[in-house]
Amino acid sequence: MPADPNHPGSLTPAVFADSFRHCTPALWCIAAAVLGERTHAEDVLQEAAMTGLSKLGAFVPNSNFAAWMGQIVRFTALNHRRKLQRRAQSETASAAPDLGIPAPAPSSGADFDARTTAALGTLTEIARACLLLKTVLELDYGEIAQTLEIPAGTAMSHVHRARAHMRALLVDDVPTKQEQHA
Amino acid sequence: MSDERDPVDASLRRLFAPPDLGGLQAKIAAAAAAAALAPVEPQREASPRRRRVWGTTIAATAAAAAAALLLSTRVQHSAAVFEPAADPIVAPVFGPREQAGAQLARFYVSGTALARLDDADCLGAPPIPEACDGSAPEPRLAPSDALEVIGECGALGGPTCDGYDLPAARLVQLRVRPQGPRLLVCVEPRDADPRPLLPDDSGLQLFRRELGAFILYEVTPLSDSLALELFSL
C-alpha cells in the first residue's frame, strides 16, 4: 500500500482522531457484533484504534476510513473473541454455546433479551454486524455496505435473513436443528 | 425504519445501544495528539526483516508515545497491543491481511497437528451426517491418490478451530503422499475473506480459489496448488 505521508488524502493523527470520532458508534457496533456481546466492545474498539493509529501509513489515501477501521475492529474483535473462547474452554468443558433457544415467551424483557443474545450467537459475524448497524444505528444499506466493504445487496440480504432467523427462533416457533445452521 | 413494536428489534436496541463513547474518543484524540508529536514511522519502507521484528518496531512508532496515555486505564487490553511476541496476532504493525498471512505461516511452521476427523461419509448409508446435508453446504474434498487428510478443524460436526490462532473458521491439513510436504487449506465464507498475505520470508506459497459462497486458500511450500481443485460443493 502506498504510504506517502505528504499525500493530501493520507491520514494524519489529527485526521484519524476526527474520523474516528465520527464513526465511533458504528465501529462499536461492529465490535459488539463480532463479539456477540457488549461487555468488551469498548476495550476492543480502543485496542483497534491504537492499532490503526500505529499504522496510519497503511491507509490508502482518499479511501474509506470507516471501512479501513472497520476491518481492523473486526480482526481485533475476532482475536479477542478467540482468546475468550480459549480461556472459557480451558476453564470449563461445558462452555459450548447453547443453541437450544427456549420456547417463545416474549413477555419478560430481561428474559427475552437473554434469548435474543443467544439467538444472535447463531448468526454469522457479518450478519450480526449488518443487523446491528441497521437496527440499532439505523444506517442505510449503502452506509452498511461501505462500512463493512460488502455490496449493498449483500448487506440487505444479511439483514433480512438475520431478522427472519431471529424471529423464527424467538417469536414464531421453536427452531429445528437445521434451521439453526441455515 | 424498523417497527418499534417488533420485540426482536426492540430487544436488540436495548442490548446494543452504544454507550457514551466520549471518554474513549477523548483518549484516542489525546493519543493522536501525542502521536503527532512523534516522528512519522517509516513502516512500509522497512527492510524485508521488518516482518520478523514487528514487536520491536512497534516501540519506535508514534503509537508508543500515545500508549502511555492509555495504559493507565484499561491496562489489561490495551497493553496487549504493545506486547510483541507473546501473541503476535494482535501485533499492530501489519494490516489485517498481513496478520492473517502471518497466522497461517506460523501455523504451518509450527507443525501443529490437528485432530484427524472420522470423516463424515457423505456417500454412506443414512443417517446423513449434518456436514453432508444440503442445508449446510460446505466445500468437500474429493478423495485423492496424491493427498491425504491428516487433520481438520472447523468442519460441521467436527472440532472447532477456536483453540488455534487462525484467520479462518475451517482448516484442513493435508500431506502429499506418501511422505511429501504438508499443505494447509483454509475455508472461509466469501464475506469473511481474510485475504491473507504471507510474510515475504515464509518460503511458502499461497493459492486462492472461490467456490460458491466460500473462499479457499492453500498454503504450500510447493510452486503449484495441489489441493484446491479437489474441493467441490
Side-chain angles (χ1 to χ4, degrees), chain A residues 24 38 43 50 54 79 82-83 86 113 116 126 135 158 163 167 178, chain B residues 2 6 11 13-15 17 25 43 70 74 77 87 89 133 165-166 191:
Chain A
T24 306
R38 62 179 294 141
D43 289 350
M50 290 307 297
S54 72
N79 282 330
R82 287 169 179 151
K83 281 184 198 170
R86 283 197 295 272
D113 286 353
T116 300
I126 195 76
T135 305
H158 277 311
R163 278 189 170 143
R167 284 173 186 144
Q178 286 184 0
Chain B
S2 302
D6 185 298
S11 179
R13 292 196 189 98
R14 279 195 302 272
L15 287 167
Q25 290 170 336
Q43 294 173 14
L70 294 171
R74 302 187 187 283
H77 298 296
D87 193 350
I89 60 174
D133 190 311
D165 288 338
L166 292 169
D191 56 14

PDB file of all heavy atoms in Angstrom, chain A residues 24 38 43 50 54 79 82-83 86 113 116 126 135 158 163 167 178, chain B residues 2 6 11 13-15 17 25 43 70 74 77 87 89 133 165-166 191:
ATOM      1  N   THR A  24     -17.378   6.366  15.536  1.00  0.00           N
ATOM      2  CA  THR A  24     -17.243   5.546  16.745  1.00  0.00           C
ATOM      3  C   THR A  24     -18.449   4.638  17.006  1.00  0.00           C
ATOM      4  O   THR A  24     -18.269   3.451  17.289  1.00  0.00           O
ATOM      5  CB  THR A  24     -16.987   6.433  17.983  1.00  0.00           C
ATOM      6  OG1 THR A  24     -15.865   7.271  17.730  1.00  0.00           O
ATOM      7  CG2 THR A  24     -16.690   5.582  19.201  1.00  0.00           C
ATOM      8  N   ARG A  38     -21.730  -6.975  24.467  1.00  0.00           N
ATOM      9  CA  ARG A  38     -21.272  -5.597  24.517  1.00  0.00           C
ATOM     10  C   ARG A  38     -20.188  -5.344  25.559  1.00  0.00           C
ATOM     11  O   ARG A  38     -19.554  -4.287  25.560  1.00  0.00           O
ATOM     12  CB  ARG A  38     -22.458  -4.668  24.780  1.00  0.00           C
ATOM     13  CG  ARG A  38     -23.157  -4.904  26.097  1.00  0.00           C
ATOM     14  CD  ARG A  38     -24.307  -3.928  26.290  1.00  0.00           C
ATOM     15  NE  ARG A  38     -23.821  -2.564  26.408  1.00  0.00           N
ATOM     16  CZ  ARG A  38     -24.417  -1.502  25.871  1.00  0.00           C
ATOM     17  NH1 ARG A  38     -25.512  -1.649  25.168  1.00  0.00           N
ATOM     18  NH2 ARG A  38     -23.910  -0.298  26.033  1.00  0.00           N
ATOM     19  N   ASP A  43     -13.407  -1.959  24.940  1.00  0.00           N
ATOM     20  CA  ASP A  43     -11.981  -2.291  25.053  1.00  0.00           C
ATOM     21  C   ASP A  43     -11.405  -2.696  23.702  1.00  0.00           C
ATOM     22  O   ASP A  43     -10.295  -2.317  23.324  1.00  0.00           O
ATOM     23  CB  ASP A  43     -11.787  -3.423  26.064  1.00  0.00           C
ATOM     24  CG  ASP A  43     -12.048  -2.961  27.493  1.00  0.00           C
ATOM     25  OD1 ASP A  43     -12.183  -1.742  27.690  1.00  0.00           O
ATOM     26  OD2 ASP A  43     -12.127  -3.812  28.380  1.00  0.00           O
ATOM     27  N   MET A  50      -5.909   2.018  18.618  1.00  0.00           N
ATOM     28  CA  MET A  50      -4.453   2.139  18.794  1.00  0.00           C
ATOM     29  C   MET A  50      -3.712   1.430  17.667  1.00  0.00           C
ATOM     30  O   MET A  50      -2.670   1.881  17.210  1.00  0.00           O
ATOM     31  CB  MET A  50      -4.046   1.566  20.148  1.00  0.00           C
ATOM     32  CG  MET A  50      -4.506   2.403  21.335  1.00  0.00           C
ATOM     33  SD  MET A  50      -3.992   4.123  21.196  1.00  0.00           S
ATOM     34  CE  MET A  50      -2.217   3.944  21.222  1.00  0.00           C
ATOM     35  N   SER A  54      -1.327   3.355  14.997  1.00  0.00           N
ATOM     36  CA  SER A  54       0.082   2.980  14.875  1.00  0.00           C
ATOM     37  C   SER A  54       0.475   2.655  13.438  1.00  0.00           C
ATOM     38  O   SER A  54       1.653   2.461  13.152  1.00  0.00           O
ATOM     39  CB  SER A  54       0.382   1.779  15.769  1.00  0.00           C
ATOM     40  OG  SER A  54      -0.210   0.609  15.233  1.00  0.00           O
ATOM     41  N   ASN A  79      -9.887 -11.709  17.215  1.00  0.00           N
ATOM     42  CA  ASN A  79      -8.784 -12.177  18.066  1.00  0.00           C
ATOM     43  C   ASN A  79      -9.215 -12.221  19.519  1.00  0.00           C
ATOM     44  O   ASN A  79      -8.933 -13.174  20.240  1.00  0.00           O
ATOM     45  CB  ASN A  79      -7.577 -11.248  17.922  1.00  0.00           C
ATOM     46  CG  ASN A  79      -6.817 -11.505  16.642  1.00  0.00           C
ATOM     47  OD1 ASN A  79      -6.798 -12.625  16.152  1.00  0.00           O
ATOM     48  ND2 ASN A  79      -6.205 -10.472  16.095  1.00  0.00           N
ATOM     49  N   ARG A  82     -11.629 -15.098  20.160  1.00  0.00           N
ATOM     50  CA  ARG A  82     -10.944 -16.395  20.198  1.00  0.00           C
ATOM     51  C   ARG A  82     -10.196 -16.588  21.503  1.00  0.00           C
ATOM     52  O   ARG A  82     -10.151 -17.682  22.049  1.00  0.00           O
ATOM     53  CB  ARG A  82     -10.000 -16.526  18.995  1.00  0.00           C
ATOM     54  CG  ARG A  82     -10.749 -16.758  17.698  1.00  0.00           C
ATOM     55  CD  ARG A  82      -9.850 -16.612  16.504  1.00  0.00           C
ATOM     56  NE  ARG A  82     -10.605 -16.863  15.274  1.00  0.00           N
ATOM     57  CZ  ARG A  82     -10.329 -16.329  14.098  1.00  0.00           C
ATOM     58  NH1 ARG A  82      -9.309 -15.517  13.974  1.00  0.00           N
ATOM     59  NH2 ARG A  82     -11.059 -16.609  13.048  1.00  0.00           N
ATOM     60  N   LYS A  83      -9.611 -15.506  21.973  1.00  0.00           N
ATOM     61  CA  LYS A  83      -8.930 -15.601  23.270  1.00  0.00           C
ATOM     62  C   LYS A  83      -9.918 -15.957  24.364  1.00  0.00           C
ATOM     63  O   LYS A  83      -9.655 -16.806  25.210  1.00  0.00           O
ATOM     64  CB  LYS A  83      -8.264 -14.267  23.612  1.00  0.00           C
ATOM     65  CG  LYS A  83      -6.966 -13.998  22.917  1.00  0.00           C
ATOM     66  CD  LYS A  83      -6.421 -12.676  23.460  1.00  0.00           C
ATOM     67  CE  LYS A  83      -5.377 -12.107  22.542  1.00  0.00           C
ATOM     68  NZ  LYS A  83      -5.015 -10.745  22.927  1.00  0.00           N
ATOM     69  N   ARG A  86     -10.923 -19.541  24.053  1.00  0.00           N
ATOM     70  CA  ARG A  86      -9.878 -20.463  24.517  1.00  0.00           C
ATOM     71  C   ARG A  86      -9.839 -20.491  26.037  1.00  0.00           C
ATOM     72  O   ARG A  86      -9.704 -21.546  26.649  1.00  0.00           O
ATOM     73  CB  ARG A  86      -8.514 -20.038  23.968  1.00  0.00           C
ATOM     74  CG  ARG A  86      -8.303 -20.390  22.520  1.00  0.00           C
ATOM     75  CD  ARG A  86      -6.822 -20.337  22.163  1.00  0.00           C
ATOM     76  NE  ARG A  86      -6.278 -18.999  22.266  1.00  0.00           N
ATOM     77  CZ  ARG A  86      -6.289 -18.116  21.274  1.00  0.00           C
ATOM     78  NH1 ARG A  86      -6.836 -18.428  20.128  1.00  0.00           N
ATOM     79  NH2 ARG A  86      -5.769 -16.929  21.419  1.00  0.00           N
ATOM     80  N   ASP A 113     -34.458 -10.624  26.330  1.00  0.00           N
ATOM     81  CA  ASP A 113     -33.146 -10.120  25.919  1.00  0.00           C
ATOM     82  C   ASP A 113     -32.084 -11.215  26.016  1.00  0.00           C
ATOM     83  O   ASP A 113     -31.180 -11.296  25.178  1.00  0.00           O
ATOM     84  CB  ASP A 113     -32.743  -8.925  26.793  1.00  0.00           C
ATOM     85  CG  ASP A 113     -33.527  -7.669  26.444  1.00  0.00           C
ATOM     86  OD1 ASP A 113     -34.274  -7.701  25.444  1.00  0.00           O
ATOM     87  OD2 ASP A 113     -33.401  -6.673  27.178  1.00  0.00           O
ATOM     88  N   THR A 116     -32.520 -13.274  23.117  1.00  0.00           N
ATOM     89  CA  THR A 116     -32.062 -12.549  21.926  1.00  0.00           C
ATOM     90  C   THR A 116     -30.548 -12.686  21.781  1.00  0.00           C
ATOM     91  O   THR A 116     -30.029 -12.916  20.684  1.00  0.00           O
ATOM     92  CB  THR A 116     -32.440 -11.056  22.026  1.00  0.00           C
ATOM     93  OG1 THR A 116     -33.853 -10.946  22.132  1.00  0.00           O
ATOM     94  CG2 THR A 116     -31.960 -10.296  20.803  1.00  0.00           C
ATOM     95  N   ILE A 126     -20.786 -11.433  10.218  1.00  0.00           N
ATOM     96  CA  ILE A 126     -21.138 -10.385   9.257  1.00  0.00           C
ATOM     97  C   ILE A 126     -22.635 -10.116   9.292  1.00  0.00           C
ATOM     98  O   ILE A 126     -23.079  -8.979   9.176  1.00  0.00           O
ATOM     99  CB  ILE A 126     -20.656 -10.763   7.833  1.00  0.00           C
ATOM    100  CG1 ILE A 126     -20.670  -9.545   6.919  1.00  0.00           C
ATOM    101  CG2 ILE A 126     -21.479 -11.876   7.247  1.00  0.00           C
ATOM    102  CD1 ILE A 126     -19.540  -8.599   7.158  1.00  0.00           C
ATOM    103  N   THR A 135     -30.415  -2.084  12.680  1.00  0.00           N
ATOM    104  CA  THR A 135     -31.463  -1.991  13.692  1.00  0.00           C
ATOM    105  C   THR A 135     -31.130  -0.959  14.772  1.00  0.00           C
ATOM    106  O   THR A 135     -31.976  -0.163  15.166  1.00  0.00           O
ATOM    107  CB  THR A 135     -31.674  -3.362  14.354  1.00  0.00           C
ATOM    108  OG1 THR A 135     -31.951  -4.313  13.333  1.00  0.00           O
ATOM    109  CG2 THR A 135     -32.819  -3.325  15.344  1.00  0.00           C
ATOM    110  N   HIS A 158     -28.323  -9.892   4.210  1.00  0.00           N
ATOM    111  CA  HIS A 158     -27.943 -10.307   5.569  1.00  0.00           C
ATOM    112  C   HIS A 158     -28.985  -9.830   6.591  1.00  0.00           C
ATOM    113  O   HIS A 158     -29.371 -10.574   7.486  1.00  0.00           O
ATOM    114  CB  HIS A 158     -26.576  -9.740   5.938  1.00  0.00           C
ATOM    115  CG  HIS A 158     -25.422 -10.549   5.439  1.00  0.00           C
ATOM    116  ND1 HIS A 158     -25.327 -11.912   5.614  1.00  0.00           N
ATOM    117  CD2 HIS A 158     -24.297 -10.178   4.775  1.00  0.00           C
ATOM    118  CE1 HIS A 158     -24.200 -12.351   5.077  1.00  0.00           C
ATOM    119  NE2 HIS A 158     -23.561 -11.322   4.553  1.00  0.00           N
ATOM    120  N   ARG A 163     -32.996 -11.115  10.367  1.00  0.00           N
ATOM    121  CA  ARG A 163     -34.244 -10.800  11.063  1.00  0.00           C
ATOM    122  C   ARG A 163     -35.206 -11.983  11.015  1.00  0.00           C
ATOM    123  O   ARG A 163     -35.832 -12.331  12.017  1.00  0.00           O
ATOM    124  CB  ARG A 163     -34.904  -9.573  10.430  1.00  0.00           C
ATOM    125  CG  ARG A 163     -34.329  -8.271  10.934  1.00  0.00           C
ATOM    126  CD  ARG A 163     -35.138  -7.086  10.459  1.00  0.00           C
ATOM    127  NE  ARG A 163     -34.701  -5.882  11.137  1.00  0.00           N
ATOM    128  CZ  ARG A 163     -34.632  -4.684  10.554  1.00  0.00           C
ATOM    129  NH1 ARG A 163     -34.971  -4.551   9.289  1.00  0.00           N
ATOM    130  NH2 ARG A 163     -34.228  -3.633  11.248  1.00  0.00           N
ATOM    131  N   ARG A 167     -36.462 -13.957  14.297  1.00  0.00           N
ATOM    132  CA  ARG A 167     -37.889 -14.058  14.621  1.00  0.00           C
ATOM    133  C   ARG A 167     -38.335 -15.505  14.667  1.00  0.00           C
ATOM    134  O   ARG A 167     -39.176 -15.886  15.488  1.00  0.00           O
ATOM    135  CB  ARG A 167     -38.706 -13.262  13.606  1.00  0.00           C
ATOM    136  CG  ARG A 167     -38.604 -11.781  13.884  1.00  0.00           C
ATOM    137  CD  ARG A 167     -39.244 -10.910  12.835  1.00  0.00           C
ATOM    138  NE  ARG A 167     -38.960  -9.515  13.150  1.00  0.00           N
ATOM    139  CZ  ARG A 167     -38.727  -8.582  12.244  1.00  0.00           C
ATOM    140  NH1 ARG A 167     -38.737  -8.882  10.966  1.00  0.00           N
ATOM    141  NH2 ARG A 167     -38.476  -7.351  12.623  1.00  0.00           N
ATOM    142  N   GLN A 178     -31.676 -27.888  11.938  1.00  0.00           N
ATOM    143  CA  GLN A 178     -31.228 -27.461  10.625  1.00  0.00           C
ATOM    144  C   GLN A 178     -31.417 -25.961  10.454  1.00  0.00           C
ATOM    145  O   GLN A 178     -30.592 -25.285   9.854  1.00  0.00           O
ATOM    146  CB  GLN A 178     -31.998 -28.202   9.541  1.00  0.00           C
ATOM    147  CG  GLN A 178     -31.553 -29.652   9.400  1.00  0.00           C
ATOM    148  CD  GLN A 178     -32.250 -30.342   8.255  1.00  0.00           C
ATOM    149  OE1 GLN A 178     -33.057 -29.738   7.579  1.00  0.00           O
ATOM    150  NE2 GLN A 178     -31.929 -31.595   8.055  1.00  0.00           N
TER     151      GLN A 178
ATOM    152  N   SER B   2     -37.381   0.421  11.293  1.00  0.00           N
ATOM    153  CA  SER B   2     -37.934  -0.785  11.871  1.00  0.00           C
ATOM    154  C   SER B   2     -39.139  -0.448  12.742  1.00  0.00           C
ATOM    155  O   SER B   2     -39.274   0.644  13.268  1.00  0.00           O
ATOM    156  CB  SER B   2     -36.886  -1.484  12.722  1.00  0.00           C
ATOM    157  OG  SER B   2     -35.761  -1.779  11.947  1.00  0.00           O
ATOM    158  N   ASP B   6     -41.826  -4.361  17.117  1.00  0.00           N
ATOM    159  CA  ASP B   6     -41.174  -5.641  16.891  1.00  0.00           C
ATOM    160  C   ASP B   6     -40.330  -5.989  18.111  1.00  0.00           C
ATOM    161  O   ASP B   6     -39.392  -5.261  18.453  1.00  0.00           O
ATOM    162  CB  ASP B   6     -40.289  -5.551  15.646  1.00  0.00           C
ATOM    163  CG  ASP B   6     -39.684  -6.894  15.306  1.00  0.00           C
ATOM    164  OD1 ASP B   6     -38.922  -7.420  16.140  1.00  0.00           O
ATOM    165  OD2 ASP B   6     -39.978  -7.414  14.222  1.00  0.00           O
ATOM    166  N   SER B  11     -35.550  -5.484  21.422  1.00  0.00           N
ATOM    167  CA  SER B  11     -34.582  -6.147  22.287  1.00  0.00           C
ATOM    168  C   SER B  11     -33.147  -5.838  21.843  1.00  0.00           C
ATOM    169  O   SER B  11     -32.269  -5.560  22.669  1.00  0.00           O
ATOM    170  CB  SER B  11     -34.830  -7.664  22.257  1.00  0.00           C
ATOM    171  OG  SER B  11     -33.898  -8.333  23.059  1.00  0.00           O
ATOM    172  N   ARG B  13     -32.123  -3.227  20.339  1.00  0.00           N
ATOM    173  CA  ARG B  13     -31.799  -1.834  20.690  1.00  0.00           C
ATOM    174  C   ARG B  13     -31.495  -1.705  22.176  1.00  0.00           C
ATOM    175  O   ARG B  13     -30.621  -0.932  22.571  1.00  0.00           O
ATOM    176  CB  ARG B  13     -32.962  -0.913  20.306  1.00  0.00           C
ATOM    177  CG  ARG B  13     -33.150  -0.784  18.812  1.00  0.00           C
ATOM    178  CD  ARG B  13     -34.034   0.412  18.467  1.00  0.00           C
ATOM    179  NE  ARG B  13     -34.360   0.380  17.054  1.00  0.00           N
ATOM    180  CZ  ARG B  13     -35.503  -0.109  16.571  1.00  0.00           C
ATOM    181  NH1 ARG B  13     -36.423  -0.558  17.384  1.00  0.00           N
ATOM    182  NH2 ARG B  13     -35.712  -0.134  15.278  1.00  0.00           N
ATOM    183  N   ARG B  14     -32.232  -2.448  22.982  1.00  0.00           N
ATOM    184  CA  ARG B  14     -31.937  -2.407  24.429  1.00  0.00           C
ATOM    185  C   ARG B  14     -30.538  -2.971  24.701  1.00  0.00           C
ATOM    186  O   ARG B  14     -29.763  -2.435  25.484  1.00  0.00           O
ATOM    187  CB  ARG B  14     -32.959  -3.247  25.202  1.00  0.00           C
ATOM    188  CG  ARG B  14     -34.275  -2.577  25.467  1.00  0.00           C
ATOM    189  CD  ARG B  14     -35.069  -3.332  26.539  1.00  0.00           C
ATOM    190  NE  ARG B  14     -35.338  -4.714  26.217  1.00  0.00           N
ATOM    191  CZ  ARG B  14     -36.402  -5.136  25.530  1.00  0.00           C
ATOM    192  NH1 ARG B  14     -37.278  -4.254  25.081  1.00  0.00           N
ATOM    193  NH2 ARG B  14     -36.601  -6.420  25.287  1.00  0.00           N
ATOM    194  N   LEU B  15     -30.248  -4.066  24.024  1.00  0.00           N
ATOM    195  CA  LEU B  15     -28.997  -4.775  24.321  1.00  0.00           C
ATOM    196  C   LEU B  15     -27.769  -4.071  23.748  1.00  0.00           C
ATOM    197  O   LEU B  15     -26.688  -4.134  24.337  1.00  0.00           O
ATOM    198  CB  LEU B  15     -29.060  -6.192  23.733  1.00  0.00           C
ATOM    199  CG  LEU B  15     -29.967  -7.190  24.447  1.00  0.00           C
ATOM    200  CD1 LEU B  15     -30.169  -8.426  23.574  1.00  0.00           C
ATOM    201  CD2 LEU B  15     -29.359  -7.588  25.778  1.00  0.00           C
ATOM    202  N   ALA B  17     -27.513  -0.734  22.327  1.00  0.00           N
ATOM    203  CA  ALA B  17     -27.393   0.712  22.192  1.00  0.00           C
ATOM    204  C   ALA B  17     -25.984   1.106  22.614  1.00  0.00           C
ATOM    205  O   ALA B  17     -25.545   0.761  23.717  1.00  0.00           O
ATOM    206  CB  ALA B  17     -28.422   1.403  23.073  1.00  0.00           C
ATOM    207  N   GLN B  25     -13.334   8.502  22.878  1.00  0.00           N
ATOM    208  CA  GLN B  25     -12.952   9.444  21.817  1.00  0.00           C
ATOM    209  C   GLN B  25     -11.906  10.434  22.314  1.00  0.00           C
ATOM    210  O   GLN B  25     -10.956  10.771  21.595  1.00  0.00           O
ATOM    211  CB  GLN B  25     -14.202  10.175  21.332  1.00  0.00           C
ATOM    212  CG  GLN B  25     -15.154   9.277  20.560  1.00  0.00           C
ATOM    213  CD  GLN B  25     -16.495   9.938  20.304  1.00  0.00           C
ATOM    214  OE1 GLN B  25     -16.898  10.846  21.030  1.00  0.00           O
ATOM    215  NE2 GLN B  25     -17.202   9.481  19.276  1.00  0.00           N
ATOM    216  N   GLN B  43       7.103   2.653   8.317  1.00  0.00           N
ATOM    217  CA  GLN B  43       6.830   1.218   8.334  1.00  0.00           C
ATOM    218  C   GLN B  43       6.962   0.555   6.979  1.00  0.00           C
ATOM    219  O   GLN B  43       7.584  -0.475   6.831  1.00  0.00           O
ATOM    220  CB  GLN B  43       5.409   0.970   8.828  1.00  0.00           C
ATOM    221  CG  GLN B  43       5.202   1.361  10.250  1.00  0.00           C
ATOM    222  CD  GLN B  43       3.736   1.244  10.602  1.00  0.00           C
ATOM    223  OE1 GLN B  43       2.951   0.656   9.882  1.00  0.00           O
ATOM    224  NE2 GLN B  43       3.374   1.812  11.717  1.00  0.00           N
ATOM    225  N   LEU B  70      -2.773   5.735  27.489  1.00  0.00           N
ATOM    226  CA  LEU B  70      -3.860   4.777  27.587  1.00  0.00           C
ATOM    227  C   LEU B  70      -3.592   3.674  28.592  1.00  0.00           C
ATOM    228  O   LEU B  70      -4.513   3.086  29.136  1.00  0.00           O
ATOM    229  CB  LEU B  70      -4.118   4.141  26.224  1.00  0.00           C
ATOM    230  CG  LEU B  70      -4.635   5.127  25.191  1.00  0.00           C
ATOM    231  CD1 LEU B  70      -4.660   4.466  23.819  1.00  0.00           C
ATOM    232  CD2 LEU B  70      -6.013   5.628  25.558  1.00  0.00           C
ATOM    233  N   ARG B  74      -7.590   0.732  31.478  1.00  0.00           N
ATOM    234  CA  ARG B  74      -7.786  -0.455  30.654  1.00  0.00           C
ATOM    235  C   ARG B  74      -6.476  -1.153  30.333  1.00  0.00           C
ATOM    236  O   ARG B  74      -6.217  -1.548  29.205  1.00  0.00           O
ATOM    237  CB  ARG B  74      -8.467  -0.102  29.338  1.00  0.00           C
ATOM    238  CG  ARG B  74      -9.791   0.563  29.540  1.00  0.00           C
ATOM    239  CD  ARG B  74     -10.481   0.730  28.225  1.00  0.00           C
ATOM    240  NE  ARG B  74     -11.669   1.513  28.368  1.00  0.00           N
ATOM    241  CZ  ARG B  74     -12.789   1.040  28.876  1.00  0.00           C
ATOM    242  NH1 ARG B  74     -12.857  -0.217  29.238  1.00  0.00           N
ATOM    243  NH2 ARG B  74     -13.837   1.819  29.000  1.00  0.00           N
ATOM    244  N   HIS B  77      -6.308  -4.719  28.395  1.00  0.00           N
ATOM    245  CA  HIS B  77      -6.499  -4.952  26.978  1.00  0.00           C
ATOM    246  C   HIS B  77      -5.544  -4.144  26.120  1.00  0.00           C
ATOM    247  O   HIS B  77      -4.962  -4.641  25.195  1.00  0.00           O
ATOM    248  CB  HIS B  77      -7.940  -4.644  26.592  1.00  0.00           C
ATOM    249  CG  HIS B  77      -8.903  -5.535  27.297  1.00  0.00           C
ATOM    250  ND1 HIS B  77      -8.913  -6.890  27.096  1.00  0.00           N
ATOM    251  CD2 HIS B  77      -9.847  -5.273  28.218  1.00  0.00           C
ATOM    252  CE1 HIS B  77      -9.847  -7.436  27.854  1.00  0.00           C
ATOM    253  NE2 HIS B  77     -10.417  -6.479  28.545  1.00  0.00           N
ATOM    254  N   ASP B  87       1.829 -12.739  21.734  1.00  0.00           N
ATOM    255  CA  ASP B  87       0.630 -13.042  20.967  1.00  0.00           C
ATOM    256  C   ASP B  87       0.658 -12.191  19.707  1.00  0.00           C
ATOM    257  O   ASP B  87       0.006 -11.166  19.626  1.00  0.00           O
ATOM    258  CB  ASP B  87      -0.615 -12.738  21.795  1.00  0.00           C
ATOM    259  CG  ASP B  87      -1.836 -13.351  21.141  1.00  0.00           C
ATOM    260  OD1 ASP B  87      -1.708 -13.826  19.992  1.00  0.00           O
ATOM    261  OD2 ASP B  87      -2.888 -13.361  21.772  1.00  0.00           O
ATOM    262  N   ILE B  89      -0.667 -12.200  17.014  1.00  0.00           N
ATOM    263  CA  ILE B  89      -1.839 -11.958  16.184  1.00  0.00           C
ATOM    264  C   ILE B  89      -2.420 -10.585  16.429  1.00  0.00           C
ATOM    265  O   ILE B  89      -3.179 -10.098  15.634  1.00  0.00           O
ATOM    266  CB  ILE B  89      -2.928 -13.024  16.400  1.00  0.00           C
ATOM    267  CG1 ILE B  89      -3.391 -13.046  17.854  1.00  0.00           C
ATOM    268  CG2 ILE B  89      -2.467 -14.371  15.961  1.00  0.00           C
ATOM    269  CD1 ILE B  89      -4.566 -13.972  18.070  1.00  0.00           C
ATOM    270  N   ASP B 133     -25.495 -32.514   4.694  1.00  0.00           N
ATOM    271  CA  ASP B 133     -26.847 -32.056   4.449  1.00  0.00           C
ATOM    272  C   ASP B 133     -26.822 -30.855   3.511  1.00  0.00           C
ATOM    273  O   ASP B 133     -26.031 -29.947   3.669  1.00  0.00           O
ATOM    274  CB  ASP B 133     -27.483 -31.646   5.789  1.00  0.00           C
ATOM    275  CG  ASP B 133     -28.961 -31.398   5.655  1.00  0.00           C
ATOM    276  OD1 ASP B 133     -29.340 -30.657   4.730  1.00  0.00           O
ATOM    277  OD2 ASP B 133     -29.716 -31.955   6.464  1.00  0.00           O
ATOM    278  N   ASP B 165      -4.699 -20.165  16.647  1.00  0.00           N
ATOM    279  CA  ASP B 165      -4.625 -18.807  16.117  1.00  0.00           C
ATOM    280  C   ASP B 165      -4.695 -18.870  14.601  1.00  0.00           C
ATOM    281  O   ASP B 165      -3.668 -18.980  13.921  1.00  0.00           O
ATOM    282  CB  ASP B 165      -3.316 -18.139  16.552  1.00  0.00           C
ATOM    283  CG  ASP B 165      -3.341 -17.793  18.021  1.00  0.00           C
ATOM    284  OD1 ASP B 165      -4.451 -17.679  18.577  1.00  0.00           O
ATOM    285  OD2 ASP B 165      -2.264 -17.668  18.615  1.00  0.00           O
ATOM    286  N   LEU B 166      -5.871 -18.823  14.090  1.00  0.00           N
ATOM    287  CA  LEU B 166      -6.066 -18.954  12.653  1.00  0.00           C
ATOM    288  C   LEU B 166      -6.988 -17.861  12.150  1.00  0.00           C
ATOM    289  O   LEU B 166      -7.883 -17.414  12.869  1.00  0.00           O
ATOM    290  CB  LEU B 166      -6.686 -20.320  12.332  1.00  0.00           C
ATOM    291  CG  LEU B 166      -5.794 -21.535  12.574  1.00  0.00           C
ATOM    292  CD1 LEU B 166      -6.613 -22.811  12.475  1.00  0.00           C
ATOM    293  CD2 LEU B 166      -4.658 -21.556  11.569  1.00  0.00           C
ATOM    294  N   ASP B 191     -17.841 -13.584   2.420  1.00  0.00           N
ATOM    295  CA  ASP B 191     -17.954 -12.263   3.039  1.00  0.00           C
ATOM    296  C   ASP B 191     -17.053 -12.100   4.262  1.00  0.00           C
ATOM    297  O   ASP B 191     -17.048 -11.059   4.901  1.00  0.00           O
ATOM    298  CB  ASP B 191     -19.402 -11.929   3.394  1.00  0.00           C
ATOM    299  CG  ASP B 191     -20.033 -12.970   4.301  1.00  0.00           C
ATOM    300  OD1 ASP B 191     -19.279 -13.782   4.861  1.00  0.00           O
ATOM    301  OD2 ASP B 191     -21.264 -12.962   4.450  1.00  0.00           O
TER     302      ASP B 191
END
